Every structure is written in C-alpha cells, then in structure tokens.
Amino acid sequence: MDFNYTPEENAFRMDLRKWLADALPKGWGETVFEPEEEEARYLFRRDWDRKLASGGWTGINWPVEYGGRGATLVERAIFAEEMARARAPESLNIIGQNLAGPTILHFGTEAQKKRFLPKIISSEEIWAQGFSEPNAGSDLASVRTRAERKGDKFIVNGQKIWTSFAQYSQWCFALVRTDPDAPKHKGISFLLIDMNSPGVSIRPLRQISGESEFNETFFDDVEVPAENLVGDLNDGWRIAMTTLAYERGPEDCLARQIRFKRELDSLIDVAGAMPMDDGVVSDDPGVQEDLGRAIVEIDAMRLVALRSFSRFLNGEERGPDASIIKLYWSHAAQRMNEKAIDILGAPGLLTGEDPEAVARGSFGMSYLQSKAFTIYSGSSEIQRNIIGERLLGLPR
Amino acid sequence: MNFAFNEEQRSLGETVGQLLSDFPALTAPDLSREQDDDAWNALAELGLFSLLVPEENDGVGLSLVDVALSVEALGAGLASPLVASTLIATELVKRFGTDAQKDALFGPLATGELKVAIAYTERGKGTDPEKLACAISGGCLSGTKIAVAGADAADRLLVVARNNDQASLAFVETGAAGVTVRQQDDLDPSAALCEVAFDGVEIAADALLGGGASDAPVNALLDLAATVYSGLTIGIANRMLETTVEYAKTREQFGKAIGSFQSIKHRCADMAVLVEAGRATSYFAFWNCAEDSAERAQTASAAKAYCADIARDACNEAIQIHGGMGFTWEMALHRYLRRAKVLESAFGNPAWHYRRVHAEAVAGREADATACRDAA
C-alpha cells in the first residue's frame, strides 16, 4: 500500500493542473458558473468536453493509436483528483467516454475502433444508451426492440426509454432482439445506431427536477449497416454485462465523486458563512457532525474506487464488485444532497429563480436530481441481487 | 499509488486470525477471560509484539500498514484490547521515546513481557485532551481514569495527564504506590474496563514520553488509537457479515434458504457494501498514520467514527437476521455486539470524531485557499 506518486505521475498531475488553470474561465466556480438554462448548460458541457479533448485530456487511458494517451489507472485517478480540485465542469459525453468507448475497445472490430473511438475522444460525436424499454427495466433481458437481418442491413423496430442526452447524441448503442425464439438472454445483439437515420424519433421526458435529460426513443424501420454489430450475433447480453461493469465501475464513480465533492465543499462553505442566531449555521455541533459524516462518505467513494483500481492493477477482472461501488456512491450522494437541504433550513428550499436563493438554488436542484442515482445504471434492488448472489453466494 | 496489501501483510493477518481461533473462549458465549493469557503468549511467540519495534532495537521494523490486517484479525477474534493498546504504546515509544525509554521498554515490549493499558477517559470529561483533569503537579500524578481496558492485567499504564499546563503521556507501573485499579462491572467484562485512581503517584522525569516537551505524543496517541480501533471494529463488522451470510445460506424457512429472500439478501448486500467502504476508510487511515501525513488526524477520525457506525449496524443486522437464535446466549453474537459498543466509546465516540473531521476539513480548505492566494 502506497499513496505516494512517482516523479512521472507528479509531472502528469502538474501538467494537468497547469492546463486546467489556463483552460477554465477566470473566476470559475467562484463568480463564473455553468449556464442556468438546461440546453445552454449541456452545450456548455459539450464545449468543455471539446476543450478537454483539444488538450488531450479525454479518453486518457485509451491506447494512443485510437487517440488516447495510454494513461495508467493511477493517472486516471490523479485526473479525477485534479478535476475535483479545479471544480471542473461535468462532461456531456459521459456515455460515449465511459460506456461506448470501453465496450468498443473490448469487443469492437478494428474498423469499429478506428471509426468510433477518435470521435468519442474529440466529442464530435455524443452517445446515448439504448438499453431500457418500457417493459424491460430491471428485467433488462426482456428487451423487445427487434432487429431483423435483411441483406447487409438490420431493420430495427421498437422503443427505448430513459435515453439520456438522446437529443444531443449522434450515436446510440442498443440492445436489440435478433432471435425471438431463443431463451431471452441468448437472442440479444449489441448494435450501434446512427441517431440521424430515417425512422429514429425522440420525445423528451420531463423529470421530477423539471429537466428533460432523458427521452423516449422510437425506431421505425431504421436501417443499420450489418457492420455496426458489435461482437457476434446473439452475444449481446455478454457484451452488455461488460458495458454495465463500466457504467457501475470505479472510473464512473471517480468522475461523479468530483461533482459530489464540489457540492459538499460548497455546502461546508455556505454553512460556515450563513448567519444563525449569534453565529453561523455550522456552529451547531449537530451540523458539524452531519457535515463530518458526509465528508467521510464522499471521501470513501473515492477510496472504494481506488481499491478497485488496485485490484485491476493486480490482475483481477472487472466483475460484480462494480455493483458495490455503484450502490455505495448512489446512496451516499443522496444522503449528502438531502442533508444539505436539512442543514440550510428554509433558505435551502429557495430555487434559482428566487433572489434570496442560496448558491443559485443548486442544493435543491441536486436534491431532486439525486433521486435518479439509485434507479439508473441498474436500480439499487438489482445491485443488491447481484452482490447477494454473485459476490456473497446467496441462493437465487 | 497502490491500495492493496502485499502477500506478507495478508499472510500475517491470516496467521493472527488462525492463531486466535485456537482459543475458543475468546468468542464463546460466556464472557470469560480464561484464555486471554494463553492467546497473549501465543501472539508473543508468533512475534506480534516485536513487529513494530525498530530493527536497531532488535525488532522487525514493520510499519502500521504492515500490521493493519493483523489488527483487523484481532478485532474479529475478540482478542483482549490489551493487545491493541500494547501495540499502540510500542508505536508511540518508537516515535517519541527518548533513547533511554527505548532501551528500557523495547526489550520487554517486543517479547510480550510488558502489557500496556491506556488510561484516557475521565468521568465528566469529553475527548479533548486539553480538558482532562488528571494532572501531574510537583512530580505527582492525581486524578481518576475510567474505562481503562485491561488495566487489571497490565504491567504498565500509559496515562494522559496535564503536566505544566500541557497534555502529556506518562508511563506508570500498575503496582506503583498510590495506584488503585478496580475492574468495573460493564457491558463487556471480557474487555475488562477498569477504574484507575492515582493518588499522588510519583512520576519521575524519565516517565514522561519524550520527556514531556510537547503535546505531540498525546495528539499522536489520539490518531493512532483511532486508527487501530477502526481496524478492530471493521474486523468485527466483517466477522458479522461472514457469519450472517453463512447462516442465511443454511437456515431454511418456507422450504428455502432464507438468503434467497430479498428481504434478507438485500440486507446482507448492504452490509457487504458498508464493510468495503469501512475497510477502504480504515486502511487509508493506517497509511496516513504510518506516513505521518498532513491528513493523519482527519483520516484517523473518519475511520474511527465510520467503522464504529458500521460495526454497530453489522452487529444489529446479524442479530436480526439470525432471528430468535440471534438473541440467544449460546449463539454468542452478543460478544461482538458488546465489544463493538465498548470500542465505539473508547478514544472519542463517533459524534466527536465526525465533528473533528469537519473541523480538520475546514482548516484544510482555509490553508488551501491561503496557499492559492499566496501563489497568485
């Protein structure tokens, strides 16, 4: 065990730190923030993705030949620390970078890697995930969207739901049924679909936060070239499990932890400055205790992810332990977001529209948004089944 | 960066765990101390007490990280808290002892001849060492400590006391004139919490750790104890997880193993998640304490508070999932529940340590901001 870094790793850190200081707008995180309006915010994030790419700071641990910099997992961890330190904006292309990219790296053909990976890294192409359907949520293997082979094409018909960022996406990877007669896990394939294809339509869904990050996506006789099949026909379930291991894995957790740490730091600052009786809110020992516990949990997210990195570095495979990471961060973040509202009291309830809003109403918005954490990427109930059965060996 | 233990560290932890399992009284239903001495001698024979002693003092020269998994095994095996307190005292002598103290203490510490209990808590006082009442005045120590684990079996006490208006650590022989030890009747008699009264006990100048020149030894004690106790408690939590999962696999109701029911399976999964988060927090504290990093205090308090919370939850869940059996004396789950509670309250309860985490984080952020301003 050693948390010291090599001179090369320290140099990597200082390079990134310097680059971030130059790249972020002056006063970032203090007087300058993301746009409030939803679409403007996402486009801001897309532009940030592109800026990161221009500096060579996306897909950093992908191989150099596909546009990455071949960074180690340790450098990946340093990257997350520095992004948190700089309070850097979030990414829009997280599905491309965290899910589509690694899946294509694992299972894609050489042609697919060359075609797709560089444009994910550059964020010229944003990705969406076509897994869930109205009748295939937790029971994901029940997907019914059909893909029928006609010559050198698949013809896709069906509907996906909860497709985040579909409205900004050029591509979507989807689980489609290619053999309706096979047992449900055995008749699924993994297909890459151009969102600009004729027959693709999307309808935004309104979330409890009032935002419309996710959508319904409809496929009506959509033609997909056969070369966009990833892996073998009817082997999509196995590939999807790898995608999910990344979606729930340590890289994803580290990237999210950046946001949660930023929110918690902001909460600590606000509670330390907001007047209460003769002092400030965080003079209250109960508030100090709550904040202390939140600090511990948000730090533990990072530590749990780093433990996982070390297991990979020691040769272990990615597997069901990703469910531990996802279950942990999602609930810990929810607790922190809820605690923020409790600690700030009535002023914490004010939204961004109100002139008296605290931190532009961000705590209330985060509280609402946090309700999705324990549902997407596999609900907590599914993660608990996986942990119980596959890690602890409890019977089905 | 590497967050994994090496082969030697893992093997040492497993050896300590196996060794303790040879002494069933440690975890048996009855709250007995009848095998404490045998277990102690076996640990001493294994060389546990020489591990932290520097090589130049004829020890093995290992670091706290090297023994982290062994400490976890001590917790899971319900070893006497005297084992942990003696290891903590050894590390303190290594860091702060004068040459004379090292010469005098490392020999008997390394062989396990010297058992050291730590006297910290006082009635009516919190955890802040600055506010404790025990004091050395005119070379004599007076005051009363409570909840001193294993004081009745210890040879030496490491006492937190004020000396010249500064918190200090003094080594006191349990048999010295003016020392009265009374075992208290408490929730976990196997931890042997004692009240220790000091009535004008003579403290020679060379009994103050490091000569008593600063309060650094007391601050280090707090962080060391918090870190080591986080290891003990997460060991208990993991033992409860293992025991409960095993039970859920074999116990049948409605014609099925109860572990197939999601109401049970999901609670086991939640325990597994917390044990992993607690371990990550505890191991990180061990590393920061071993390195004496700037984050030592924050990570130690984080680990102490969080692992205590997790152990408490794990003990509660274990008893609940075992059903009526869990509440029986002979199932012996009460041993872990009792010990976890005793460890939780020692060296600062979770509430105190969470507040300390907050205070350290605020101080760290202010220092960071100052550094940024200075750089700009």
Side-chain angles (χ1 to χ4, degrees), chain B residues 114-160:
Chain B
L114 196 62
K115 296 175 177 152
V116 184
I118 299 172
Y120 194 110
T121 310
E122 296 176 10
R123 197 172 282 113
K125 296 290 176 185
T127 309
D128 186 350
E130 297 297 321
K131 293 181 178 160
L132 295 174
C134 280
I136 300 164
S137 174
C140 290
L141 168 65
S142 291
T144 301
K145 296 285 184 181
I146 57 168
V148 184
D152 59 339
D155 307 291
R156 212 64 69 90
L157 299 164
L158 190 55
V159 185
V160 183

Side-chain angles (χ1 to χ4, degrees), chain A residues 177-199:
Chain A
R177 188 148 304 279
T178 39
D179 184 352
D181 302 322
K184 64 180 185 178
H185 294 84
K186 309 271 185 194
I188 297 171
S189 296
F190 196 103
L191 216 50
L192 310 179
I193 302 176
D194 184 342
M195 293 292 279
N196 294 318
S197 311

Side-chain angles (χ1 to χ4, degrees), chain B residues 217-236:
Chain B
V218 174
N219 293 330
L221 163 67
L222 198 49
D223 295 341
L224 259 169
T227 300
V228 167
Y229 269 49
S230 78
L232 297 175
T233 47
I234 205 65
I236 289 178

Side-chain angles (χ1 to χ4, degrees), chain A residues 91-139:
Chain A
S91 166
L92 176 64
N93 200 17
I94 43 179
I95 293 169
Q97 289 172 11
N98 294 349
L99 308 186
T103 305
I104 292 170
L105 267 171
H106 264 268
F107 297 102
T109 61
E110 192 54 36
Q112 286 169 342
K113 290 179 194 174
K114 288 213 165 89
R115 160 65 187 83
F116 293 108
L117 297 178
K119 292 193 173 179
I120 293 175
I121 283 187
S122 66
S123 278
E124 275 171 78
E125 291 175 349
I126 309 289
W127 283 70
Q129 177 178 19
F131 275 19
S132 296
E133 296 181 5
N135 288 306
S138 286
D139 184 11

Side-chain angles (χ1 to χ4, degrees), chain B residues 64-256:
Chain B
L64 276 179
V65 170
D66 294 317
V67 300
L69 293 178
S70 303
V71 169
E72 198 174 306
L74 292 172
L78 300 185
S80 162
L82 259 185
V83 178
S85 58
T86 300
L87 293 174
I88 293 167
T90 306
E91 182 71 15
L92 285 167
V93 171
K94 177 163 89 187
R95 293 182 183 211
F96 300 102
T98 61
D99 287 346
Q101 286 167 339
K102 289 179 181 173
D103 286 344
L105 294 169
F106 274 146
L109 278 172
T111 55
E113 282 166 69
L114 196 62
K115 296 175 177 152
V116 184
I118 299 172
Y120 194 110
T121 310
E122 296 176 10
R123 197 172 282 113
K125 296 290 176 185
T127 309
D128 186 350
E130 297 297 321
K131 293 181 178 160
L132 295 174
C134 280
I136 300 164
S137 174
C140 290
L141 168 65
S142 291
T144 301
K145 296 285 184 181
I146 57 168
V148 184
D152 59 339
D155 307 291
R156 212 64 69 90
L157 299 164
L158 190 55
V159 185
V160 183
R162 300 188 60 71
N163 181 45
N164 294 333
D165 262 348
Q166 177 182 280
S168 312
L169 285 177
F171 275 106
V172 179
E173 296 208 17
T174 38
V179 177
T180 314
V181 177
R182 174 182 74 84
Q183 188 180 342
Q184 296 173 298
D185 196 6
D186 72 285
L187 202 61
D188 180 12
S190 69
L193 300 188
C194 297
E195 180 187 81
V196 184
F198 303 94
D199 183 12
V201 178
E202 260 188 64
I203 304 292
D206 64 357
L208 290 172
L209 187 63
S214 83
D215 60 1
V218 174
N219 293 330
L221 163 67
L222 198 49
D223 295 341
L224 259 169
T227 300
V228 167
Y229 269 49
S230 78
L232 297 175
T233 47
I234 205 65
I236 289 178
N238 187 54
R239 177 61 58 86
M240 289 299 91
L241 169 66
E242 289 172 351
T243 304
T244 304
V245 167
E246 201 45 47
Y247 186 76
K249 284 178 185 172
T250 49
R251 166 71 176 167
E252 291 192 4
Q253 285 287 273
F254 306 101
K256 295 164 89 174

Side-chain angles (χ1 to χ4, degrees), chain A residues 1-4 87 265 269 288-289 292-293 303 307 310 314 328 381 384-385 389 392-393 395-396, chain B residues 1-5 249 260 262 265-266 270 276-277 283 287 291 302 306 309 351 354-355 358 365:
Chain A
M1 186 177 304
D2 189 1
F3 290 90
N4 288 310
R87 303 182 172 203
D265 283 347
D269 290 347
Q288 292 167 11
E289 186 182 340
R293 167 121 187 179
L303 297 173
R307 285 249 295 164
S310 280
N314 291 325
Y328 186 73
E381 289 67 30
R384 291 184 180 114
N385 280 347
E389 289 159 19
L392 303 178
R396 290 178 66 87
Chain B
M1 187 215 74
N2 179 4
F3 202 168
F5 290 101
K249 284 178 185 172
S260 65
Q262 290 187 331
K265 182 181 292 175
H266 287 188
D270 283 336
E276 172 60 20
Y283 300 159
W287 186 81
E291 296 281 311
Y306 199 35
D309 275 354
Y354 284 131
R355 290 199 298 271
H358 172 254
R365 281 177 60 66

